[in-house]
Amino acid sequence: MDTAGGAVSELAIPNSLLGLTTECYGEAGVVVTVSGEIDLSTRDELAEHLNTALDAVSPTQPLIVDLSEVTFLGSAGLALLLDTQDVAVRRGVLLRVVATQRAVRRPVEAVGLADALPLHATVEEAIADVPVPRSGNELVGLPLQVDSAIL
């Protein structure tokens, strides 16, 4: 009870930091929309959802993972996307990822996955397979060489 003699209400605590929806666009594919944070604590929930979506697509349809509402993408999420892509390739399904925000683009580019996981600006562009143009500021996995004459 609070000091005024009334009952203290309990705050609802969300079960997950992740929002997930799946929509079928017929021959255009299946779209899984993800919102929130993708990290070790949400990886298994997302993995289960992506596996179910993979089961729903045929080899002629793409699986589109819309990450445009994701606020954090950790290493567990990157690994899951690569694992999902591997399963998709073995099944003959194209995996397409939608994201333009820094929270997703930066981790993908920083670890050199921009070519392995090309990003699309919108679901419509992913369906048409139009990747987001690269800005040229992406980090690449080249060893740093310092010219001793400059020092």
Side-chain angles (χ1 to χ4, degrees):
M1 284 201 194
D2 65 14
T3 55
V8 175
S9 65
E10 293 183 32
L11 295 175
I13 299 173
N15 292 336
S16 175
L17 299 173
L18 202 59
L20 296 164
T21 60
T22 301
E23 294 179 71
C24 183
Y25 283 75
E27 288 304 310
V30 172
V31 178
V32 174
T33 303
V34 184
S35 63
E37 300 178 0
I38 304 174
D39 58 17
L40 192 57
S41 68
T42 58
R43 181 202 185 283
D44 291 342
E45 181 182 359
L46 179 56
E48 185 178 318
H49 204 83
L50 290 175
N51 286 334
T52 301
L54 275 169
D55 290 342
V57 294
S58 69
T60 61
Q61 299 173 303
L63 171 60
I64 299 166
V65 182
D66 183 357
L67 303 179
S68 57
E69 296 179 26
V70 168
T71 56
F72 177 80
L73 177 64
S75 59
L78 288 171
L80 174 58
L81 289 173
L82 288 175
D83 290 346
T84 302
Q85 182 181 52
D86 184 49
V87 172
V89 166
R90 284 188 272 129
R91 294 184 183 185
V93 172
L94 294 171
L95 177 70
R96 297 183 181 148
V97 179
V98 175
T100 57
Q101 74 281 23
R102 183 177 171 93
V104 174
R105 286 185 63 92
R106 187 157 191 218
V108 168
E109 293 162 354
V111 297
L113 296 176
D115 290 328
L117 290 171
L119 302 177
H120 298 79
T122 65
V123 170
E124 292 75 19
E125 288 181 11
I127 289 170
D129 199 18
V130 180
V132 172
R134 294 175 69 181
S135 66
N137 294 327
E138 295 85 3
L139 299 175
V140 292
L142 301 176
L144 178 63
Q145 297 180 7
V146 177
D147 186 351
S148 59
I150 298 174
L151 300 174

